[in-house]
């Protein structure tokens, strides 16, 4: 087998070329897997002594059982890899289109001529002021009303947002942002970007941050919070071989203008947020 090569990103490739390269990578992985399976089959034939021209095998029963278990493990691994390759191909073939960069703003047009000033209307006549009336006597003091309920110390700055639409995420080692477009409740000093992935806190203070992510089973994926694009280590849930639920809670001192985002990261795989339920959620509350 030869090592596959891919074109460098100069000049930058368009979306069609990127899709073609992803599909080519899937095909190369399939080819590599077929070579591995063929080599494993020939190894099993050698153990059994069934290769053409080979003398009868003198392998023991234990060696044959060990070879069989090795082949079974390889088949199970290849089956999992096939599912990953299928999801990768679906993402490439059926993924949505993306908007290009915003073009340069055009020049401002010339200012039109000023309109003519209208003529002043005639001055109105004043109504006559009557004499001031005498002051009335003070009324009796009313009864003291009941004490109102105590204020909520967490209501000054808070935010909640969720994802209930079953979004498909392509997880990478660098990380992919989790969009939270549903059920948003934001106080005026917390804003969100157009992609619903970055929440900006405009009031400095101590905050409680918590999140949850529920997916179909995903291989070797983890989750974390980013503050101004930097990973927050205490909020990180490390990748495991197989996991479907992720969640964590931290308290942080945030400056005004801090940008918060929720991420999934790990080996290249596909994560499907649970649809029609709480696929993902982020909660932000200022404590002081």
């Amino acid at each position: 087998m030869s090592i596959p090569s891919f074109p460098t990103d100069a000049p930058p490739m368009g979306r069609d070329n990127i899709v073609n390269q992803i599909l080519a990578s899937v095909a190369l992985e399939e080819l590599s897997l077929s070579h591995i399976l063929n080599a494993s089959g020939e190894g099993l034939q050698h153990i059994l002594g069934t290769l053409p021209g080979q003398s009868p095998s003198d392998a023991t029963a234990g060696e044959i059982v060990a070879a069989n278990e090795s082949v079974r493990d390889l088949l199970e691994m290849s089956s999992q890899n096939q599912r990953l390759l299928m999801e990768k191909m679906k993402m490439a073939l059926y993924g949505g289109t993306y908007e290009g960069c915003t073009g340069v703003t055009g020049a401002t047009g010339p200012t039109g001529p000023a309109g003519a000033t209208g003529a002043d209307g005639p001055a109105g006549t004043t109504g006559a002021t009557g004499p001031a009336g005498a002051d009335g006597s003070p009324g009796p003091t009313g009864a003291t009303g009941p004490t109102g309920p105590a204020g909520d110390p967490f209501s000054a700055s808070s935010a909640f947002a969720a994802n209930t639409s079953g979004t498909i995420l392509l997880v990478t080692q660098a990380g992919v942002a989790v969009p939270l477009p549903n059920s948003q409740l934001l106080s005026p000093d917390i804003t969100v970007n157009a992609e619903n992935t970055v929440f900006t806190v405009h009031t400095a203070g101590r905050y409680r941050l918590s999140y949850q992510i529920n997916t179909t089973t995903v291989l070797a994926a983890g989750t974390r919070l980013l503050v101004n694009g930097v990973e927050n280590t205490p909020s990180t849930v490390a990748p495991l071989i197989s996991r479907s639920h992720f969640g964590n809670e931290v308290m942080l001192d945030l400056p005004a203008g801090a940008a918060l985002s929720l991420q999934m990261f790990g080996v290249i795989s596909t994560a499907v947020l649970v649809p029609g339920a709480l696929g993902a959620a982020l909660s932000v509350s200022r404590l002081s």
Side-chain angles (χ1 to χ4, degrees):
M1 294 184 291
S2 60
I3 298 176
S5 61
F6 295 92
T8 59
D9 195 17
M13 296 188 293
R15 181 176 181 277
D16 290 343
N17 285 336
I18 293 174
V19 170
N20 288 337
Q21 294 303 322
I22 293 175
L23 294 177
S25 72
V26 171
L28 289 172
E29 289 187 62
E30 293 280 7
L31 179 60
S32 300
L33 187 59
S34 69
H35 282 288
I36 293 173
L37 291 174
N38 183 63
S40 178
E42 291 183 352
L44 187 58
Q45 285 183 295
H46 176 74
I47 290 292
L48 297 174
T50 58
L51 286 174
Q54 180 183 347
S55 59
S57 173
D58 58 355
T60 66
E63 290 173 335
I64 294 175
V65 170
N68 181 66
E69 290 179 350
S70 175
V71 172
R72 183 190 61 193
D73 292 342
L74 177 62
L75 290 175
E76 182 178 354
M77 180 276 294
S78 64
S79 177
Q80 294 178 354
N81 190 58
Q82 284 292 301
R83 287 195 293 269
L84 291 176
L85 291 178
M86 180 181 68
E87 294 296 337
K88 184 177 179 181
M89 186 171 65
K90 287 182 180 178
M91 289 289 293
L93 291 176
Y94 307 118
T97 58
Y98 301 90
E99 296 181 358
C101 299
T102 304
V104 179
T105 303
T108 303
T111 303
T117 303
D120 294 335
T125 59
T126 304
T129 303
D135 294 336
S137 58
T141 302
T144 302
T147 303
D152 182 357
F154 305 122
S155 63
S157 300
S158 61
F160 176 83
N163 187 311
T164 59
S165 56
T167 301
I168 299 175
L169 302 174
L170 181 60
V171 180
T172 64
Q173 186 175 4
V176 59
V178 179
L180 302 166
N182 309 121
S183 305
Q184 292 184 351
L185 294 173
L186 309 178
S187 58
D189 61 343
I190 298 180
T191 57
V192 62
N193 66 348
E195 291 77 22
N196 297 295
T197 56
V198 179
F199 295 81
T200 302
V201 173
H202 297 283
T203 302
R206 179 161 294 178
Y207 286 80
R208 175 183 289 129
L209 311 176
S210 63
Y211 70 83
Q212 294 186 58
I213 296 179
N214 296 303
T215 71
T216 58
T217 300
V218 62
L219 298 176
T223 56
R224 61 193 175 193
L225 289 172
L226 300 186
V227 180
N228 292 327
V230 178
E231 174 187 2
N232 177 259
T233 302
S235 72
T236 301
V237 176
L240 290 180
I241 294 177
S242 178
R243 187 196 294 268
S244 60
H245 173 74
F246 307 82
N248 209 339
E249 180 178 282
V250 294
M251 272 196 282
L252 299 175
D253 290 326
L254 299 177
L260 309 174
S261 58
L262 178 59
Q263 247 195 16
M264 293 193 73
F265 69 98
V267 299
I268 295 179
S269 60
T270 301
V272 181
L273 301 184
V274 175
L278 186 67
L282 172 66
S283 179
V284 180
S285 298
R286 182 163 65 90
L287 306 180
S288 62

